[in-house]
Amino acid sequence: RESATRAPGDRAVLASLTVPGSRSAVPLGLSICYDLRFPELYRHLAVQGARILAVPSAFTARTGREHWLALLKARAIENLAYVVAANQFGSGGEGIDTYGRSAIIDPWGTALALCPDGEGWASAVLDLERQETIRRGFPALRHMRMDLFLKAAPIEKKGGTGTWFASVDPWSPRPVPQAFYVIKQLPPKSDPQALLLLLRLDHTKSL
């Protein structure tokens, strides 16, 4: 069991990707493979402003064949966000076969790139202006009942009680860049932190 050698995190993490030549940044929500089964984490990241959701993974072949792409697409569609998911492929030292099929999914649930079996690369341009258009035209995130979540989803934190959701509106229109992502699918012996490779962010308009 993974829990015998790995400990869960104690908070959701939102990183800022600096766009070269710009004073603004693209919010990136961080997660790993098992997190895919907990949609509330991704909704929390989206409410905090995440435009892209990163999911470096070691998703197993047994569950991956049925669940991997379905979960990636669900998290993208639910949050109208890009999902960038690098997954290991092959047999590891622990005797677990991993599924591969690293993928980049757009906010409408379309797979922009998908790795075949074996080592490989997936790359795609993440059109954040189109994402803004989708969010304005299909405002499901604006229609979320925050009052119900605030009542139903308290969480305990060290030193006090908090909630998953903030009373902010991150969906207001604003100028956005394009992000160009390339990910590499590696075998299980590789460093998990190397699975997601951000090569560059290109901005198309001054922010």
Side-chain angles (χ1 to χ4, degrees), residues 76-101:
I77 293 167
E78 289 166 348
N79 298 293
L80 299 175
Y82 284 97
V83 172
V84 179
N87 191 35
Q88 293 176 340
F89 174 82
S91 298
E94 298 176 352
I96 299 175
D97 291 334
T98 46
Y99 184 59
R101 306 296 172 90

Side-chain angles (χ1 to χ4, degrees), residues 148-169:
L148 297 180
F149 280 112
L150 289 170
K151 292 176 182 177
I155 59 171
E156 294 295 326
K157 293 183 179 179
K158 294 179 181 178
T161 301
T163 74
W164 276 108
F165 297 95
S167 56
V168 297
D169 180 11

Side-chain angles (χ1 to χ4, degrees), residues 43-176:
R43 179 51 52 89
H44 167 63
L45 292 169
V47 168
Q48 296 300 323
R51 308 292 302 279
I52 305 167
L53 302 169
V55 196
S57 302
F59 217 87
T60 67
R62 182 175 68 86
T63 57
R65 280 187 290 270
E66 305 296 335
H67 298 167
W68 171 246
L69 284 175
L71 288 170
L72 294 179
K73 290 184 176 185
R75 300 297 86 86
I77 293 167
E78 289 166 348
N79 298 293
L80 299 175
Y82 284 97
V83 172
V84 179
N87 191 35
Q88 293 176 340
F89 174 82
S91 298
E94 298 176 352
I96 299 175
D97 291 334
T98 46
Y99 184 59
R101 306 296 172 90
S102 297
I104 301 175
I105 311 295
D106 79 359
W108 206 245
T110 301
L112 300 179
L114 183 66
C115 276
D117 291 347
E119 292 190 32
W121 295 85
S123 64
V125 173
L126 310 190
D127 187 344
L128 301 184
E129 289 188 354
R130 177 173 176 268
Q131 182 186 32
E132 286 281 11
T133 299
I134 290 172
R135 286 183 168 184
R136 287 195 298 269
F138 191 76
L141 291 168
R142 288 184 179 274
H143 297 160
M144 185 173 59
R145 287 289 303 273
M146 297 294 291
D147 57 325
L148 297 180
F149 280 112
L150 289 170
K151 292 176 182 177
I155 59 171
E156 294 295 326
K157 293 183 179 179
K158 294 179 181 178
T161 301
T163 74
W164 276 108
F165 297 95
S167 56
V168 297
D169 180 11
W171 317 119
S172 56
R174 55 192 180 279
V176 292

Side-chain angles (χ1 to χ4, degrees), residues 2 8 31-39 41-42 55-59 68 71 75:
E2 285 190 2
S31 65
I32 61 170
C33 55
Y34 188 50
D35 293 331
L36 276 173
R37 299 189 180 278
F38 303 94
L41 169 63
Y42 296 92
V55 196
S57 302
F59 217 87
W68 171 246
L71 288 170
R75 300 297 86 86

